[in-house]
Every structure is written in structure tokens, then in C-alpha cells.
Amino acid sequence: MHHENPKINKNLRGRFAPTPSGRLHFGSLTCALASYLDVKAKNGSWIIRLDDLDSPRVQRGASENIIRTLEYFNLISDEPIRRQSDNLKLYEEIFGDLIRKNLCYRCECSRKRLQSLNNVYDYRCRNKKLSHEKTSVRLKISETNNIQNFIDNIQGNQETAHITSDFIIRRKDQIFSYEYAVVIDDYVQNITSVLRGADLISSTFNQLILHKSLNFNPPLYSHIPVVENKDGEKMSKSKNALMEFSKTKLSILYLALDWLGQNPPAELKNESNQIIIDWAKKNWCPKAIPQLLSKSITEQAQIL
Ligand code: GLU
């Protein structure tokens, strides 16, 4: 008989969705940890999803490496790990619906032309009714699906810094765009809480537009500052700490928690990953996460 853990909060589901284009570094591990804690602190579930659609970027062995690294830090998916490449049929089906409902159109503009527009699309192909397959496909933005702002759970109100214009949901090489696939995945996997790096804030507008176009209920979004390489005093301190880690394999989770503003007690430094995570679950304080959009830390070392 299958016993469900009665403590699991079914209404809270988060995920970490790395692209297997390389190994995890300190920044991506910090995102994984934060997304885990954000749901686990309230007994939610957390899943790992490999965003492996963009096959030209996928690196051999990277998925396995990422999973092993997460396991090493006791960041274990509560459900079987998902892969976007398993969902192609669903992406096709929903794509067919969008075409039939006339919510998207084919665009034959060259990369060079788009660059000259600074990537703000000027709707040139919107009414051309192109039908040949070797084109990209754009979603039509209208008054009914447009989004001008959203409330980020950590960063507060976010307004579009750029002009939203019809964006690509399927590329010329026929690969579905990241924005399109991620929206469908988050919806069908019942994700209620998305926590990721602030480099994706601008993409969140497009994602919310897609959720609206598809009549999906969007998750709550939280973005954490991107860990960057920069010279500065704070950095050299952290750098030493990370160097110490790389020699002794100690407490990178401690450093990540420190970076996330969680103020972990010094005694935790030499503790096991599980003890550090247990402390962090009990003491998780999203409000303490820095609001700045970038913060310095050591080089984005490839770990393990
Ligand atoms: N796969 C994306 C990346 O690695 C992140 C997807 C997401 O969290 O929405 O940058």
C-alpha cells in the first residue's frame, strides 16, 4: 500500500530547471538551494526538471553531472526527474491549438534584420499569412493577453523595462522556445512557486503573457540576485572561503546560505550537508534575500 506523507503540503510545489549545458556553478547551486528551501520550509514538494530542449546547447554528460551534484548536496527531487524532451507531443498539441485559434503567426525575418531593430519586433510578418514551415513562429500580443507588471515575491513590483512585442515561441530550427516550453511545463506539473535567477525577470513578462494566452493560472515568481564575478572586498573574503571549500569540500551550502542573507550560525560551517539543510529549512527567511540585482562573489567555480 502506498502511504502518503501526511505532512506534505500539496498546494506548494517548486522546481529547479537547469539547462544541461554545463556543470553547476556556485550561482546555479545557490538557485537550486533557494528554490528547494522556499517550498520545503513549508512542507511543499520540489522537483528537478532538465530543460534539455535546446539540443545545440545541451552538453553530453551534463544532465548526469547536475543530478549527481545536487544529490551530493542532498537536494533530491521528490518525484522522478522530468525532461522537457519527454514533452514534445504536448508542446505540439498546444502549438496546434494556438495556430488554429490564430494566436500566432510565421515570421521569416532574418537575424540580421531583428538585430537592426534591437530585438523589439516591428510586426512586419504579422499579416503576411506565411505558411511555409522553415520560419519561426511568434505569439501575437494584444490588449487581452499583454502584461505590464507583476509582483515578484522577493523583488516586489516589476514593470516592463522594454517594449513587449510579439515574441518567438518556436524557432526557425523548429525547436520550441524556452519561454513556450517552460510555461507549459510549469502549468502541467502544477508548479505553484518558481524561484530562479534575476536574469530571467524580463522573460517572466513573456511567460506571463503566454500563461494568459493559454488560460493557465501562473505560479508565483521569485527572483534572486545573480551571482557575478566582480572584484571587490566582499568578494575576496568569499573567494578565500570558496578556495577553502574546494580543498576541504566543506560548507559550500553554508556559503550559499550566507550569500542568500540567511545568516547561518558559524558552528554550521563544518556540519554535514543534511544538517545545514535542516537548519536552513527551519530558519528560511525569503525576506532576507538581497534585493539588489547583482551581488559579488567569487569566481563561478565549477564545483565537484
Ligand atoms: N533552464 C533555465 C536556465 O537554466 C531556467 C529555467 C527557469 O528556471 O525557468 O537558465
Side-chain angles (χ1 to χ4, degrees), residues 72-74 251-253 271-278:
Y72 173 85
F73 289 108
N74 281 2
S251 69
I252 194 150
L253 288 181
E271 288 295 354
S272 67
N273 289 329
Q274 192 55 55
I275 289 181
I276 297 178
I277 287 193
D278 285 345

Side-chain angles (χ1 to χ4, degrees), residues 65-261:
N65 193 285
I66 289 172
I67 295 166
R68 266 205 317 276
T69 305
L70 292 169
E71 254 170 30
Y72 173 85
F73 289 108
N74 281 2
L75 298 170
I76 314 272
S77 186
D78 287 316
E79 293 170 18
I81 292 173
R82 328 240 169 167
R83 285 179 165 73
Q84 286 190 323
S85 52
D86 293 335
N87 288 347
L88 292 177
K89 227 178 113 199
L90 180 67
Y91 302 144
E92 283 289 356
E93 263 170 42
I94 293 176
F95 180 72
D97 281 350
L98 287 173
I99 297 256
R100 274 188 296 279
K101 289 184 184 148
N102 197 22
L103 291 173
C104 54
Y105 61 92
R106 297 191 176 275
C107 166
E108 61 183 356
C109 293
S110 65
R111 187 173 296 184
K112 204 168 149 202
R113 174 164 196 279
L114 296 173
Q115 268 163 5
S116 73
L117 299 170
N118 280 332
N119 291 317
V120 180
Y121 190 58
D122 62 355
Y123 309 101
R124 187 186 192 208
C125 296
R126 217 192 218 217
N127 298 315
K128 279 192 187 166
K129 299 202 165 39
L130 299 170
S131 60
H132 51 284
E133 300 252 311
K134 286 229 162 93
T135 58
S136 55
V137 177
R138 287 179 186 274
L139 185 84
K140 284 184 190 167
I141 299 185
S142 64
E143 269 175 20
T144 51
N145 63 358
N146 206 358
I147 294 283
Q148 306 285 355
N149 75 309
F150 71 94
I151 309 292
D152 185 290
N153 205 32
I154 293 172
Q155 306 295 335
N157 186 43
Q158 301 295 309
E159 309 212 347
T160 34
H162 57 281
I163 305 160
T164 37
S165 60
D166 297 352
F167 58 90
I168 292 180
I169 57 170
R170 191 169 202 170
R171 301 174 354 188
K172 198 173 166 182
D173 59 10
Q174 298 305 296
I175 293 179
F176 289 109
S177 73
Y178 153 69
E179 283 164 350
Y180 176 76
V182 79
V183 161
I184 294 177
D185 293 338
D186 286 339
Y187 180 72
V188 299
Q189 292 160 16
N190 294 316
I191 300 300
T192 59
S193 157
V194 167
L195 186 151
R196 57 190 176 190
D199 52 326
L200 287 165
I201 285 187
S202 61
S203 174
T204 305
F205 291 98
N206 287 354
Q207 293 178 35
L208 282 163
I209 288 170
L210 267 162
H211 276 287
K212 208 166 169 185
S213 313
L214 294 165
N215 286 322
F216 291 170
N217 200 6
L220 184 64
Y221 291 99
S222 309
H223 291 88
I224 64 169
V226 175
V227 178
E228 279 180 351
N229 279 334
K230 264 192 208 146
D231 285 318
E233 207 156 319
K234 249 190 191 152
M235 179 195 144
S236 50
K237 230 169 84 205
S238 319
K239 186 169 182 169
N240 289 339
L242 196 57
M243 276 161 58
E244 190 185 305
F245 159 77
S246 61
K247 276 196 221 120
T248 59
K249 292 231 190 295
L250 280 179
S251 69
I252 194 150
L253 288 181
Y254 178 91
L255 290 175
L257 287 174
D258 190 38
W259 192 86
L260 288 164

